[in-house]
Amino acid sequence: MSASVTRRHLLRGLALMAALGPLAACAPAAQPTPTAAPKAAEPAKPAEAPKPAAQPTPTPAPAKPAQPAAGPTPTPLPVATPFVKPGLKTIDFWWGWGGMTGINALRATINRFNETSNTFQVNGLQVSGIGEKMLTAIAGGTAPDAAVNGPYSEFWARGAVLPLDDRLRTSKIINRGDFFEANWIHAMWQGKTYGVPVIECFVRWGLSWNVELVQKGGLDPEKPPQTIEELYEWHTKLTVFDEAKNVKILGFDPMDAMAGGIGSPDPFYWGAAWGFKYFDQDKLQYNFDNPDFVEILTVIKKFYDFVGAEKVDGFRKSYGTWTQSPTASFPSGVEALIINGYWQPGELVKSAPGKKFGYSWVPVPAKRKGIKLQTFRGHFAYLPKGSKNQDEGFQFIEYLTTDQSQDIIFAQTGWLGARKAYLAKIDPKTYPGLEFYIKSAQEATERVGATVDPMQGFTYNQWNQTVDKVKFGERTPEQAAKEMNKTLNDEIKKRGIS
């Protein structure tokens, strides 16, 4: 993703939410404006493919690591110039993604809607730091009419968005049964539905590697690491230092992309790998003060210690994370391994054309070797509290679930929605590596269920701060686990969430 906003930065700073107090006390945010660019080309419709089962179930044949292949190297579709018909009512739609392919996809689908709509138009705005700015806009009476991105479950629990159940019941476009049930679970809080899974949904985990870097390191790209212990061995063999002992090639960053996620839509990989759930929704209680989490922090520190935490931070000043933008470390060819979701193959075709990558199951501890982990999550569109054009806002949310919108987004960036009928039409060979992810939905032996965290943004910040304290030696793993657990449980009581 671009430097302007990454998935990680979508939640950065959301600990401030607790300090904001009542929404009415906030001042309105300055309104961002989109950047003009050339008009997008017409996207091709995905080819027909067999329809998957409604509920993924294991099959006898296991998913094998995708065979490394260079694949197509198309030129990225140009960014669309914002198009709005004059003389019609206009509504505001915000999104947070700032990477090259994400901006392309959102602007292109908004333009297509505006070209075909004769009732109202959509003014699309890419908003960095959307979590804080959304709360400020709601409090100041300047909220957009619809949006996607932000700390979803925290928005739901705080009453920052409007429930959609009545609109969903009467919608002639959205068929709730056509969406994966796991996606709806994360759209809900206390029995009410607040979001519609529209963009960048489906499965979240896979281990990817740069074939050329693996071969240069003397390893076999067709025999990827299956355990955390093997992953560490690859990390040590693939990390390369320059003459000044700075990082030239980073083997594996344990906090890059989906490895650093926690909550929804980016679930807690490390907890799933060890087999523990960090939050009890029934008791509203966090569970980080346990031996598994201490071991996780110890392992993460080990990865950083091999390179040097300061050197990794120096490396990150030059290279971004994730895989959307060509300047991120993995697409740039200076990071050998990454844990990321199904969207990666489509992004890499455009952000790293010509490079070869392999895909397989995410590693687990040796004591759990053989388990094939997968989970379903995604991003939601919602109506912020104070939306002045709720009917039109929901109509645009409906449009985002249609085949026309999904075709544009898939062609631009490889992102999928949560509709089973649309997924059934996707050619898994469209992007090299996508087939592994599609098969993994059926072939996973352990599917990680929902963790709906009502302090999602706060938890995310505490997770990142805790890792920083451990990797820089400010806390032992045991001290950090106790501290994080206490901070979170104290905060949820302070907020009065029930």
Side-chain angles (χ1 to χ4, degrees), residues 63-64 66 205-206 359-361 374 433-440:
K64 298 179 180 179
W205 290 329
Y359 298 85
S360 189
W361 301 99
Q374 196 50 276
L434 178 60
E435 188 171 17
F436 162 76
Y437 288 98
I438 290 179
K439 286 183 177 180
S440 77

Side-chain angles (χ1 to χ4, degrees), residues 272-315:
W274 261 256
F276 89 92
K277 194 171 183 178
Y278 76 84
F279 180 68
D280 187 324
Q281 190 174 340
D282 293 330
K283 296 180 180 178
L284 294 176
Q285 193 170 67
Y286 292 88
N287 176 37
F288 286 104
D289 186 8
N290 68 69
D292 285 334
F293 188 58
V294 170
E295 188 176 347
I296 287 167
L297 292 176
T298 302
V299 166
I300 289 174
K301 179 174 171 55
K302 185 178 179 181
F303 276 90
Y304 284 118
D305 282 350
F306 177 77
V307 180
E310 293 82 3
K311 290 181 179 180
V312 175
D313 275 12
F315 177 82

Side-chain angles (χ1 to χ4, degrees), residues 155-221:
F155 278 177
W156 311 162
R158 288 176 63 93
V161 301
L162 302 172
L164 301 175
D165 299 276
D166 290 343
R167 294 182 184 276
L168 289 168
R169 274 192 289 271
T170 58
S171 176
K172 298 185 183 303
I173 295 175
I174 298 174
N175 173 9
R176 193 160 184 149
D178 186 31
F179 292 72
F180 290 104
E181 181 59 28
N183 290 103
W184 285 118
I185 291 173
H186 290 275
M188 300 177 67
W189 178 252
Q190 295 184 339
K192 293 183 179 180
T193 306
Y194 292 93
V196 177
V198 291
I199 302 172
E200 206 282 270
C201 301
F202 198 46
V203 296
R204 321 306 281 176
W205 290 329
L207 177 69
S208 308
W209 57 93
N210 181 307
V211 172
E212 182 181 0
L213 295 181
V214 168
Q215 289 173 333
K216 285 183 177 179
L219 298 167
D220 187 345

Side-chain angles (χ1 to χ4, degrees), residues 27-48:
Q31 298 300 306
T33 55
T35 302
K39 188 173 181 180
E42 175 102 1
K45 186 172 182 178
E48 295 288 330

Side-chain angles (χ1 to χ4, degrees), residues 93-133:
F93 173 76
W94 287 9
W95 79 88
W97 290 294
M100 174 188 72
T101 59
I103 290 176
N104 285 4
L106 270 296
R107 285 187 180 162
T109 197
I110 289 170
N111 279 5
R112 181 60 58 82
F113 176 87
N114 288 344
E115 289 166 1
T116 57
S117 173
N118 293 314
T119 55
F120 69 93
Q121 299 285 279
V122 175
N123 178 36
L125 298 172
Q126 188 277 319
V127 180
S128 301
I130 192 170
E132 294 174 51
K133 290 178 181 176

Side-chain angles (χ1 to χ4, degrees), residues 285-408:
Q285 193 170 67
Y286 292 88
N287 176 37
F288 286 104
D289 186 8
N290 68 69
D292 285 334
F293 188 58
V294 170
E295 188 176 347
I296 287 167
L297 292 176
T298 302
V299 166
I300 289 174
K301 179 174 171 55
K302 185 178 179 181
F303 276 90
Y304 284 118
D305 282 350
F306 177 77
V307 180
E310 293 82 3
K311 290 181 179 180
V312 175
D313 275 12
F315 177 82
R316 283 288 167 226
K317 290 178 181 177
S318 299
Y319 298 101
T321 54
W322 300 85
T323 53
Q324 262 203 80
S325 293
T327 55
S329 54
F330 193 75
S332 295
V334 294
E335 184 177 11
L337 299 141
I338 193 171
I339 289 176
N340 213 354
Y342 79 88
W343 53 83
Q344 178 173 285
E347 291 180 351
L348 288 174
V349 162
K350 297 173 175 64
S351 63
K355 291 185 174 72
K356 298 179 181 180
F357 303 100
Y359 298 85
S360 189
W361 301 99
V362 291
V364 296
K367 60 188 177 184
R368 281 166 52 82
K369 184 175 181 178
I371 290 175
K372 297 170 182 175
L373 287 177
Q374 196 50 276
T375 189
F376 286 75
R377 303 292 168 94
H379 289 271
F380 306 97
Y382 52 89
L383 301 178
K385 187 176 181 180
S387 166
K388 296 179 177 63
N389 298 288
Q390 296 172 23
D391 291 343
E392 290 84 359
F394 186 75
Q395 288 174 43
F396 183 64
I397 290 175
E398 289 180 314
Y399 173 75
L400 290 174
T401 71
T402 65
D403 282 9
Q404 184 179 86
S405 174
Q406 296 288 300
D407 285 347
I408 295 169

